[in-house]
């Protein structure tokens, strides 16, 4: 059941991503040779019009293969014969569709269970929050320059900025107050703490609030992904801390096992939450300016627009291929680490 759930979730997210590329390619009159789910040899497929639709052997990944995308083509409808703006719209549509999916799923989730307001449940004696005069019922609206809308944003901020002093802006009885808090190291937990904690209870709002907090939900996951990447580039986390498909399957399985006794609806909501996380994560990762990813292709298009001349398609394709191989090696290392963690 765990693997089936994981395959359904992965397939849905990847298909929607590739659908973005596909629809914008069709809109810009680019010939799509193949639209597929999975990688490797074709298991089953059919051709409709000029496009082959297929299911590949390896269940992770997918592609929208356009004429002249990575090679020279004399076809007027080839990808490389379109304008920079047209090609940009096709490439950016994949990550954009991931964000659209995340917002749509967030709308269902927030509409069903509400949102976690950043309101303090209590403060801890002898810690900076209490010493600064903060108290239960205060609503945090900003940490430093970062606006806060969900309590989870507070938790993520304190995790990634563990020992840093921060100016906290909070509301009490409709009035804004500010306090500079320097976290205090707690021996028992082994963490730096501000000495406040919020409630896990969720608040249901009206339609406008539900829509508004659906965007905040997606913003939270996007921000968390970017913060995590920042920690990776700064060397504060390593490859061992990353998870690939195997680790995600385990997470899905553990979540399913933990909540299945609460009923089908709770399983659905938890899987929905995972879908939001993965879809937002895929959108961000694909926008990284790395060749072989959508962000790398966007970077090439920006350079082309500035130069007024595009790079040789064969050289661009070769660069993309090299980085694709490097990404495959990285995925293999992450998969090995995931398996090692499960076995150990």
């Amino acid at each position: 059941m765990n693997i089936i759930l994981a395959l359904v979730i992965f397939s849905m997210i990847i298909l929607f991503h590739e659908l973005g590329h596909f629809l914008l390619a069709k809109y810009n009159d680019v010939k799509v040779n193949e639209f597929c789910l999975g990688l490797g040899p074709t298991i089953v497929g059919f051709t409709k019009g000029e496009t082959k639709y297929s299911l590949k052997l390896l269940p992770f990944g997918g592609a929208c293969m356009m004429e002249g995308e990575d090679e020279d083509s004399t076809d007027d409808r080839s990808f490389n014969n379109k304008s920079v703006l047209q090609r940009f719209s096709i490439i950016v549509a994949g990550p954009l569709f991931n964000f659209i999916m995340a917002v749509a799923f967030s709308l269902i989730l927030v509409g069903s269970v509400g949102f976690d307001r950043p309101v303090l449940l209590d403060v801890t004696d002898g810690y900076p929050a209490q010493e600064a005069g903060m108290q239960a019922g205060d609503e945090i609206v900003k940490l430093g320059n970062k606006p806060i809308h969900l309590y989870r944003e507070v938790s993520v901020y304190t995790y990634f900025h563990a020992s840093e002093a921060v100016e906290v802006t909070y509301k009490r009885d409709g009035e804004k107050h500010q306090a500079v808090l320097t976290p205090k190291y707690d021996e028992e937990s082994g963490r730096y703490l501000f000495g406040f904690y919020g409630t896990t209870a969720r608040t249901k709002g009206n339609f406008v609030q539900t829509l508004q907090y659906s965007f905040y939900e997606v913003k939270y996951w996007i921000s968390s992904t970017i913060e995590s990447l920042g920690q990776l580039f700064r060397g504060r986390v390593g490859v061992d801390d990353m998870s690939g498909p195997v680790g995600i399957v385990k997470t899905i399985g553990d979540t399913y096992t933990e909540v299945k006794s609460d009923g089908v609806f709770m399983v659905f909501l938890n899987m929905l939450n995972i879908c939001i996380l993965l879809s937002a994560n895929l959108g961000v990762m694909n926008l990284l300016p790395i060749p072989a990813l959508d962000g790398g292709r966007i970077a090439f298009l920006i350079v082309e627009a500035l130069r007024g001349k595009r790079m040789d398609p064969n050289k661009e394709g070769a660069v993309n291929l090299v980085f694709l191989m490097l990404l495959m090696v990285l995925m293999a290392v992450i998969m090995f680490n995931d398996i090692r963690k499960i076995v150990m």
Side-chain angles (χ1 to χ4, degrees):
M1 185 63 182
N2 299 350
I3 295 176
I4 292 174
L5 277 173
L7 287 177
V8 169
I9 289 171
F10 280 132
S11 299
M12 183 170 52
I13 292 170
I14 292 168
L15 271 177
F16 206 68
H17 175 95
E18 297 301 335
L19 182 64
H21 295 314
F22 178 83
L23 291 179
L24 266 293
K26 290 293 187 181
Y27 177 79
N28 287 289
D29 195 31
V30 172
K31 182 181 178 183
V32 178
N33 294 325
E34 185 172 5
F35 183 82
C36 67
L37 176 63
L39 302 171
T42 300
I43 299 175
V44 62
F46 66 91
T47 300
K48 184 175 180 181
E50 64 187 10
T51 304
K52 180 181 179 182
Y53 301 86
S54 58
L55 179 66
K56 304 288 186 177
L57 178 63
L58 302 177
F60 304 113
C64 173
M65 303 176 193
M66 295 171 281
E67 177 71 21
E69 185 178 4
D70 292 312
E71 71 286 327
D72 281 324
S73 175
T74 57
D75 193 319
D76 290 339
R77 296 177 59 226
S78 73
F79 176 80
N80 284 328
N81 285 333
K82 298 299 178 179
S83 70
V84 170
L85 186 59
Q86 287 174 309
R87 282 177 280 147
F88 179 86
S89 69
I90 294 169
I91 297 302
V92 81
L96 179 61
F97 266 50
N98 281 128
F99 296 138
I100 291 172
M101 170 181 271
V103 170
F105 285 169
S106 293
L107 194 60
I108 299 171
L109 183 68
V110 175
S112 299
V113 298
F115 48 89
D116 51 317
R117 293 176 60 213
V119 175
L120 301 189
L121 185 63
D122 207 349
V123 294
T124 307
D125 292 343
Y127 278 81
Q130 186 200 49
E131 292 168 357
M134 297 181 71
Q135 59 189 43
D138 290 345
E139 181 175 0
I140 297 176
V141 295
K142 189 180 285 188
L143 289 172
N145 295 318
K146 181 181 176 64
I148 299 295
H149 303 99
L150 306 170
Y151 190 77
R152 280 167 294 154
E153 292 179 305
V154 177
S155 301
V156 167
Y157 186 93
T158 55
Y159 176 78
F160 285 121
H161 304 271
S163 59
E164 301 173 15
V166 63
E167 183 177 69
V168 180
T169 303
Y170 61 95
K171 278 184 180 180
R172 180 186 300 164
D173 300 325
E175 292 186 10
K176 284 187 178 180
H177 304 269
Q178 291 180 326
V180 176
L181 303 183
T182 301
K184 178 180 177 181
Y185 186 74
D186 179 64
E187 295 284 351
E188 186 176 340
S189 64
R191 296 168 53 201
Y192 284 92
L193 302 175
F194 290 114
F196 55 61
Y197 54 94
T199 177
T200 56
R202 286 182 171 246
T203 302
K204 280 196 175 186
N206 55 36
F207 174 76
V208 173
Q209 288 175 313
T210 299
L211 184 61
Q212 181 182 15
Y213 278 87
S214 297
F215 282 94
Y216 291 152
E217 185 81 21
V218 176
K219 188 195 77 156
Y220 161 74
W221 288 117
I222 291 173
S223 177
S224 297
T225 302
I226 293 172
E227 286 273 16
S228 299
L229 287 171
Q231 296 290 312
L232 179 65
F233 292 134
R234 286 193 289 269
R236 295 181 182 176
V237 297
V239 174
D240 286 350
D241 299 302
M242 301 172 69
S243 285
V246 173
I248 295 170
V249 170
K250 183 179 185 302
T251 299
I252 292 171
D254 290 345
T255 303
Y256 172 74
T257 302
E258 185 178 330
V259 302
K260 67 179 180 179
S261 59
D262 296 325
V264 175
F265 186 60
M266 286 304 297
V267 171
F268 169 73
L269 290 179
N270 277 272
M271 293 304 110
L272 203 61
N273 194 49
I274 290 174
C275 285
I276 296 166
L277 159 63
L278 294 179
S279 193
N281 186 278
L282 183 62
V284 172
M285 297 299 289
N286 263 284
L287 286 175
L288 293 177
I290 299 172
L293 298 179
D294 292 334
R297 293 180 180 273
I298 291 170
F300 279 127
L301 288 172
I302 292 172
V303 171
E304 178 183 342
L306 294 174
R307 294 177 69 214
K309 180 183 177 182
R310 72 166 313 219
M311 179 181 282
D312 184 324
N314 293 320
K315 291 181 180 178
E316 184 178 332
V319 171
N320 285 329
L321 180 61
V322 169
F323 274 85
L324 178 61
M325 294 300 102
L326 291 174
L327 287 173
M328 294 297 286
V329 171
L330 177 61
M331 286 301 297
V333 171
I334 293 172
M335 185 176 294
F336 173 79
N337 284 334
D338 283 342
I339 294 171
R340 179 173 55 82
K341 290 173 190 174
I342 293 171
V343 172
M344 293 177 63

